[in-house]
Amino acid sequence: MNPAPSSEHQDFADALRRDGFRFVAGEDMRTHLQRHGALQDWAAFADSWNDLAPDTYLASVGRHRRRRHAVFRADRGGAIARQPHQPHYQSLNYNVLQGDIERWFEPVRDDVADSSTLATVLGFCRDFFGLLAPQVPGWHIELHQFRIEARSDEEGQPTPEGVHRDGVDYVLVLLIDRHNIVSGTTTIHSADGSLLGSFTLTAPLDAALVDDARVFHGVTAVTPQDPSREAHRDVLVVTFRAVGAIADAANSDA
């Protein structure tokens, strides 16, 4: 049985209905997540970002990042189950840099997919996005572990395709770690390009909740604070697309 929607859930839902997005500070996000499960294996979960594989598709156009990918299915109010490994696809309508190709990434490790932290995050998303779309019977979920690396001679690009939509219904961007970087500001835009808001994910569990059908988003480049040291930005991106909805893209390069 799922937790009853809290007043904070309703507040988030009202914000998304009104503005198309909501920033949630890490400590607040922790409280909401823990209503849906445990985070006791957070340290191991976060450490798995040290075992991501190079994004060879992006490297082919002269950009660099690391990632892993997985697909899940959630029924409304029911279990969330991992699906067979499959490619990530976005049309050129949503990704002008790498659209219209099937991209196969290394899968999320089994221990990460089975972790209590991920189950908690996905449970929160299922129930919160379900509150926004009560008519949806189920969800196609994709998740991406991203590490954006910044170097002394090359800034890191969290959204190399620029300000964009992902072609899904809802998006969660959850900060895992920032190490020795500056910038990485998330910007939210209307369809005509007007800036609706901006914020920077700086602490673990800082989060952005986005209504992808209504707004566009992007993230500014990151650079090393100390050019002599390793620098990175680690995020978990989770996208929800209603099962049966017409969508020619799924998921995020945010």
Side-chain angles (χ1 to χ4, degrees):
M1 187 175 191
N2 298 328
S6 66
S7 60
E8 292 85 0
H9 274 66
Q10 191 61 57
D11 180 50
F12 293 169
D14 290 344
L16 259 71
R17 293 187 184 106
R18 182 183 66 245
D19 303 324
F21 70 98
R22 176 66 185 258
F23 165 75
V24 186
E27 284 307 306
D28 290 338
M29 193 67 186
R30 179 184 297 277
T31 298
H32 304 313
L33 288 172
Q34 288 177 329
R35 292 195 178 101
H36 293 264
L39 299 172
Q40 79 267 16
D41 57 5
W42 170 263
F45 181 75
D47 185 66
S48 70
W49 265 255
N50 292 315
D51 187 35
L52 303 188
D55 181 340
T56 57
Y57 297 92
L58 197 60
S60 70
V61 293
R63 313 284 178 87
H64 300 281
R65 69 179 163 204
R66 295 178 179 275
R67 71 192 294 175
R68 287 182 182 269
H69 172 247
V71 177
F72 290 76
R73 166 71 183 258
D75 294 324
R76 179 173 203 80
I80 299 171
R82 189 173 188 176
Q83 302 300 291
H85 194 52
Q86 55 196 266
H88 174 53
Y89 177 84
Q90 293 174 297
S91 80
L92 283 170
N93 292 332
Y94 297 105
N95 189 331
V96 297
L97 186 63
Q98 295 185 305
D100 284 356
I101 59 174
E102 291 188 344
R103 287 179 288 164
W104 287 91
F105 299 110
E106 288 297 309
V108 170
R109 288 181 354 210
D110 289 345
D111 63 309
V112 176
D114 295 336
S115 67
S116 60
T117 292
L118 185 59
T120 297
V121 170
L122 294 181
F124 165 83
C125 290
R126 177 199 59 203
D127 295 342
F128 175 65
F129 295 143
L131 179 64
L132 288 164
Q135 76 285 359
V136 172
W139 300 97
H140 174 87
I141 306 166
E142 291 194 45
L143 65 88
H144 305 260
Q145 295 178 278
F146 284 112
R147 168 165 287 183
I148 306 301
E149 298 173 331
R151 305 170 186 176
S152 60
D153 60 345
E154 183 180 40
E155 61 187 14
Q157 293 283 351
T159 54
E161 68 274 45
V163 174
H164 65 286
R165 288 171 52 222
D166 295 328
V168 296
D169 292 290
Y170 300 108
V171 180
L172 166 72
V173 182
L174 189 71
L175 185 72
I176 306 300
D177 181 48
R178 281 171 65 104
H179 176 70
N180 187 38
I181 62 168
V182 294
S183 194
T185 297
T186 298
T187 59
I188 307 293
H189 304 259
S190 63
D192 66 6
S194 299
L195 181 66
L196 300 176
S198 65
F199 45 85
T200 304
L201 307 180
T202 59
L205 294 175
D206 277 2
L209 297 164
V210 179
D211 183 340
D212 189 63
R214 291 186 53 201
V215 299
F216 290 67
H217 64 278
V219 183
T220 62
V222 296
T223 56
Q225 189 168 32
D226 178 351
S228 69
R229 298 166 52 219
E230 187 265 343
H232 64 255
R233 177 182 186 262
D234 292 349
V235 297
L236 174 70
V237 175
V238 183
T239 66
F240 270 56
R241 176 166 56 85
V243 172
I246 298 173
D248 59 0
N251 303 41
S252 176
D253 287 320

